Amino acid sequence: MSPIGIFDSGYGGLTILHGVRHLLPEYDYLYLGDNARAPYGPRSFDVVYEFTRQAVIKLFEMGCQLVILGCNTASAKALRTIQQVDLPKLDPNRRVLGIIRPTAEVIGQLTTSRHVGVLATEGTIKSESYKLEIQKIYPDIVVSGVACPFWVPLVEYNEADSPGADYFVKKRIDQLMRLDPDIDAIILGCTHYPLLMPKIVKYVTPGVRIIPQGEYVAESLKNYFLRHPEMEQRCSKGGTVEYLTTENPDKFRESAQIFLHEHVDVKNITLA
């Protein structure tokens, strides 16, 4: 078995897994959530790198030839170092991919005004990863970002549909649009945020496009396999999904229901 590994600090990566499975259901998947040490957003670059490195090594040990960091913070703070420093030593034939670049690659086709907004965690906004990646490809696009510190807890405590969520969602969207009223596309730069979509759509100016990442990461992976058939052939195809967590399995099962609307079997593991 050589499943595709998907790693996240918590539960949000389940929206990435959902998008990838929808487009590529034939592959085997292994999802690892470091829920015991979440959230990663406020943590330093060094800590996020070390935690992410531990997770990648664990997924490699469990047979994964390809690992997707289904976490914006890990993609922003750890991906490049793992690719450039660790992979040559761990196994130069394996691959670790992030979820920021796939969105950056398509954003030029999704904006007319060339003004783009990013709503994400504090760590992702401070890293300016979206701005850097987008402007590498599209130097003419203006990127503005706002951190949304209360959005993740709203989702994880199953309050995304509550009246109280409206205040926090509207506040950050208004803040972003004040920064740049010409924005016509907003990237949801945190994998939890698609679960707030009904509230987000409610408060975004009509005509502004909302861009969740799942479908673009899935399309990017499909294209990656077309360009790298040698990697595609190393990924097993049994249509299975296995879930791992560093937290209590019962808690993971309960929270996974919010993201996947299905019962999952999950095993506890330790990262070190």
Side-chain angles (χ1 to χ4, degrees):
M1 293 287 287
S2 299
I4 297 168
I6 296 183
F7 167 68
D8 186 21
S9 58
Y11 302 103
L14 293 170
T15 63
I16 300 297
L17 173 64
H18 177 76
V20 172
R21 279 181 69 197
H22 181 74
L23 187 65
L24 302 167
E26 66 271 28
Y27 296 91
D28 296 308
Y29 297 94
L30 181 56
Y31 182 89
L32 169 55
D34 189 12
N35 309 86
R37 301 189 293 195
Y40 279 15
R43 295 186 183 272
S44 69
F45 272 74
D46 289 344
V47 170
V48 171
Y49 160 66
E50 184 54 35
F51 287 179
T52 305
R53 180 178 174 276
Q54 291 169 5
V56 168
I57 290 171
K58 176 64 73 174
L59 289 167
F60 280 179
E61 288 172 352
M62 299 187 76
C64 297
Q65 302 295 310
L66 172 70
V67 173
I68 298 170
L69 302 185
C71 171
N72 284 278
T73 303
S75 296
K77 295 184 176 182
L79 177 64
R80 184 159 298 180
T81 305
I82 288 173
Q83 288 176 331
Q84 295 178 354
V85 177
D86 295 298
L87 269 184
K89 292 183 285 187
L90 292 169
D91 188 338
N93 294 315
R94 301 200 197 199
R95 293 293 178 265
V96 180
L97 306 176
I99 59 172
I100 291 175
R101 187 166 183 86
T103 316
E105 286 175 342
V106 299
I107 194 64
Q109 305 157 33
L110 305 175
T111 172
T112 303
S113 71
R114 316 306 279 177
H115 289 253
V116 170
V118 179
L119 296 169
T121 64
E122 181 183 2
T124 300
I125 294 299
K126 281 187 174 178
S127 73
E128 295 197 324
S129 294
Y130 274 97
K131 182 176 182 178
L132 293 169
E133 286 294 335
I134 290 170
Q135 293 185 338
K136 276 183 202 171
I137 307 167
Y138 306 105
D140 62 312
I141 291 182
V142 177
V143 182
S144 303
V146 165
C148 309
F150 293 105
W151 287 22
V152 168
L154 283 172
V155 172
E156 294 202 348
Y157 287 101
N158 208 11
E159 295 290 329
D161 295 325
S162 70
D166 289 69
Y167 169 80
F168 295 104
V169 172
K170 184 177 186 301
K171 180 179 181 180
R172 298 307 175 186
I173 290 172
D174 288 350
Q175 183 182 347
L176 180 63
M177 297 309 292
R178 281 196 302 272
L179 271 179
D180 185 354
D182 293 326
I183 287 170
D184 71 348
I186 297 175
I187 297 169
L188 301 185
C190 173
T191 51
H192 283 68
Y193 295 177
L195 276 77
L196 288 162
M197 188 67 82
K199 303 284 190 192
I200 293 168
V201 170
K202 183 177 175 181
Y203 293 110
V204 162
T205 307
V208 174
R209 187 167 191 162
I210 309 300
I211 303 163
Q213 296 170 285
E215 63 184 280
Y216 299 106
V217 173
E219 284 288 350
S220 179
L221 179 59
K222 183 179 179 181
N223 292 333
Y224 180 85
F225 280 154
L226 290 173
R227 297 194 312 273
H228 300 278
E230 75 288 350
M231 177 56 72
E232 191 278 334
Q233 290 160 16
R234 293 167 68 191
C235 297
S236 56
K237 301 173 186 67
T240 67
V241 190
E242 187 177 352
Y243 299 90
L244 306 171
T245 179
T246 56
E247 244 285 12
N248 180 291
D250 291 334
K251 186 176 187 306
F252 185 95
R253 274 190 287 270
E254 183 181 333
S255 295
Q257 287 271 7
I258 299 170
F259 289 84
L260 298 175
H261 305 293
E262 63 181 78
H263 176 80
V264 302
D265 291 319
V266 58
K267 297 175 186 172
N268 177 262
I269 60 156
T270 301
L271 296 178

